[in-house]
Amino acid sequence: MELDLKKTISVLFSKIWLIIAVTMLSSVLFLISNLFFVTPMYTSQALLYISNMSERKSSIVTTGDVSVSRELVNTFVVILNSRTVLDKVAEQSGLDYTSTEIKGMISAEAVSSTEVFRISVTHDDPTEAQIIADTILKVAPSEIKRVMNAGAVSIIDYATLPLSPSSPNIPRNTVLGAMLGAMLTVFIILLTEGLDNRVKSEFVLSENFDLPIIGIVPSFKLAEKTVSGGKVKRRRRVG
């Protein structure tokens, strides 16, 4: 049975308390799971500047230099994620991590398509995140120059100790949980109503079939009436 817009709104309005209850329950479950069952992660970041001016004596920067520097950023990101560089980072950090484990912690990307790229290290220990980021700053510039033999790498921002977790985003996840609960409840209600092909009243017949209604079969119930001095049961057949 198909649901038109008017009937859909009517069905959802009749189940509004169920939708509200499930929405609140879902948001609370997401909140509790994020607070107590998700490990907080901390991100330490550093900024590097890539320049194509290392071999030039002139201090004038042309648009061509800027364009080449931006292209070099993508190459430097690849070099940064190489096993050779990460092996040195793992060794010099003094922490018991392999290059593969460190690769899973770091990310590097250009900042808004500029010649600046950002290094981010995410870890459940903020101190270790900062140590790894600082080690990358020590290793990466010399390794990048060794491989490329061109350009210059300058540190803009050193890694700082993250004071608050970068994930999970509890407010956002709580809102997403509420939205997910509401949408799932609405979907189940509409699906159940759409698959329900029972005839509940003569109005359903008149709306869906172009046939006249010649009679209605009444329901049979036990009538019960309360009078003063006690309860008297009367049984009668309605119809």
Side-chain angles (χ1 to χ4, degrees):
M1 183 180 297
E2 297 181 358
L3 295 176
D4 56 27
L5 181 59
K6 183 178 180 180
K7 186 179 294 184
T8 299
I9 295 175
S10 177
V11 169
L12 294 179
F13 186 77
S14 65
K15 305 288 186 179
I16 188 65
W17 292 112
L18 176 61
I19 297 174
I20 293 175
V22 175
T23 300
M24 294 181 63
L25 178 61
S26 179
S27 64
V28 170
L29 289 177
F30 269 72
L31 176 62
I32 293 175
S33 63
N34 278 266
L35 285 175
F36 301 105
F37 299 102
V38 177
T39 302
M41 303 299 290
Y42 297 84
T43 301
S44 180
Q45 296 183 334
L47 290 179
L48 296 175
Y49 176 77
I50 306 300
S51 174
N52 190 39
M53 301 289 293
S54 59
E55 303 296 330
R56 296 182 52 180
K57 296 181 180 179
S58 173
S59 59
I60 300 175
V61 180
T62 65
T63 56
D65 294 324
V66 174
S67 178
V68 172
S69 296
R70 292 178 181 178
E71 291 297 327
L72 286 175
V73 170
N74 297 324
T75 305
F76 290 171
V77 170
V78 175
I79 296 174
L80 180 62
N81 284 279
S82 66
R83 181 173 52 83
T84 301
V85 173
L86 294 179
D87 281 340
K88 291 188 176 182
V89 173
E91 179 183 354
Q92 296 186 23
S93 66
L95 304 174
D96 191 20
Y97 294 114
T98 64
S99 59
T100 303
E101 290 172 330
I102 291 179
K103 186 175 183 179
M105 302 176 192
I106 69 173
S107 64
E109 59 182 358
V111 179
S112 302
S113 300
T114 64
E115 57 270 32
V116 177
F117 77 97
R118 179 189 297 110
I119 298 174
S120 302
V121 180
T122 303
H123 197 282
D124 58 1
D125 187 325
T127 302
E128 293 191 1
Q130 183 186 22
I131 291 174
I132 295 173
D134 280 335
T135 306
I136 293 174
L137 292 181
K138 295 176 183 178
V139 173
S142 59
E143 286 298 310
I144 289 173
K145 291 178 183 178
R146 178 184 65 81
V147 175
M148 296 295 296
N149 196 27
V153 182
S154 305
I155 299 174
I156 300 176
D157 285 338
Y158 287 89
T160 57
L161 179 67
L163 301 178
S164 59
S166 56
S167 67
N169 190 327
I170 296 178
R172 183 192 63 186
N173 292 346
T174 301
V175 173
L176 289 177
M179 294 175 60
L180 179 62
M183 289 188 296
L184 184 61
T185 306
V186 170
F187 173 77
I188 293 176
I189 291 174
L190 295 180
L191 179 63
T192 303
E193 188 69 21
L195 295 176
D196 188 2
N197 56 4
R198 293 176 299 172
V199 177
K200 301 178 181 179
S201 68
E202 66 273 18
F203 301 105
V204 176
L205 290 175
S206 62
E207 288 178 359
N208 293 276
F209 302 96
D210 188 18
L211 295 172
I213 300 175
I214 59 176
I216 301 174
V217 179
S219 61
F220 296 89
K221 300 179 181 179
L222 290 177
E224 188 175 277
K225 183 178 180 181
T226 303
V227 297
S228 58
K231 181 181 293 185
V232 178
K233 293 184 178 179
R234 294 181 181 179
R235 297 187 178 183
R236 63 185 181 89
R237 190 176 297 274
V238 180

